[in-house]
Amino acid sequence: MTLRVTDLAISRGGALLVEGLSFALAAGQAMAIRGPNGIGKTTLLRSLAGLQPPVRGAIDGAADRIAYAGHADGIKGTLTASENLQFWAGVFGTFDIDMALAAFRLEHLADRPAGELSAGQKRRLGLARLLVTGRPVWLLDEPTVSLDIEAVGWFAEAVTAHLAEGGSALIATHVELGLETETLDLAPFRARAPVEDMFL
């Protein structure tokens, strides 16, 4: 298994959201996180990525094997598209950005400042960062926001190629991605509200 979660409980703002959550993500597997808004999909991904501690439970999977793509695209507007990717490639110790540009059809935008890109182009550039991390476990929070149908297809192709190489992906999304995924439904793990004592 590339990632194993056991009896996890997570909270946001001091309020318990999910408890008793256990699952495993294997190499070559994609899993879609489902559940109503506010149940804790983003909080779960942030906890798995090491950005906030869980309330309890165990997360087994080395943090240096995880690449996280959240709501922010993680790009600097004054740098060109290629300079942004070169920066992230340097951070992760990789060097080839051509594959990432090609996967998200950004070659013709390589020399354009990221701040001049459309919302969809910025999102594609943010997702292209995943391809220069060299990390096998992708944690993705609503990755297709701002993408048109064609770009969603490019994203699906990139994930499919990643899985074929032994990578894995955990994806919070409300969109049908055209991928074969297992489903992780958080609804059964919603934390129960504390019972108030009527006599206090």
Side-chain angles (χ1 to χ4, degrees):
M1 294 294 168
T2 59
L3 183 67
R4 186 182 296 276
V5 170
T6 307
D7 196 27
L8 196 71
I10 56 174
S11 66
R12 181 180 61 240
L16 196 62
L17 299 175
V18 169
E19 59 184 346
L21 175 64
S22 297
F23 69 93
L25 184 67
Q29 181 183 22
M31 185 176 290
I33 307 173
R34 305 291 188 190
N37 289 336
I39 196 170
K41 296 185 291 294
T42 293
T43 303
L44 172 61
L45 289 173
R46 288 178 55 81
S47 295
L48 297 177
L51 299 177
Q52 64 184 75
V55 175
R56 61 180 173 271
I59 301 170
D60 297 313
D64 61 2
R65 302 178 72 244
I66 290 173
Y68 171 69
H71 293 157
D73 293 320
I75 59 178
K76 189 167 182 62
T78 55
L79 299 179
T80 66
S82 62
E83 287 170 342
N84 270 279
L85 289 178
Q86 286 164 357
F87 169 79
W88 286 109
V91 168
F92 289 101
T94 59
F95 301 98
D96 183 14
I97 68 167
D98 293 339
M99 177 184 64
L101 288 169
F104 287 93
R105 312 316 193 260
L106 293 165
E107 300 100 323
H108 66 294
L109 300 170
D111 296 325
R112 183 175 299 180
E116 297 178 8
L117 301 178
S118 70
Q121 291 166 342
K122 288 177 181 176
R123 191 59 168 171
R124 283 155 51 197
L125 178 57
L127 291 171
R129 289 184 303 126
L130 294 166
L131 300 179
V132 302
T133 65
R135 295 192 166 185
V137 183
W138 290 359
L139 305 180
L140 311 174
D141 195 358
E142 299 292 349
T144 59
V145 170
S146 300
L147 297 185
D148 59 23
I149 293 176
E150 188 174 31
V152 170
W154 300 335
F155 166 74
E157 289 173 4
V159 174
T160 299
H162 178 64
L163 300 178
E165 294 172 356
S168 59
L170 184 62
I171 310 168
T173 182
H174 294 287
V175 176
E176 178 54 53
L177 301 174
L179 296 168
E180 287 190 21
T181 61
E182 302 291 330
T183 298
L184 175 62
D185 186 0
L186 295 187
F189 304 98
R190 186 196 299 267
R192 292 172 292 181
V195 178
E196 295 184 5
D197 191 332
M198 296 174 56
F199 300 99
L200 289 180

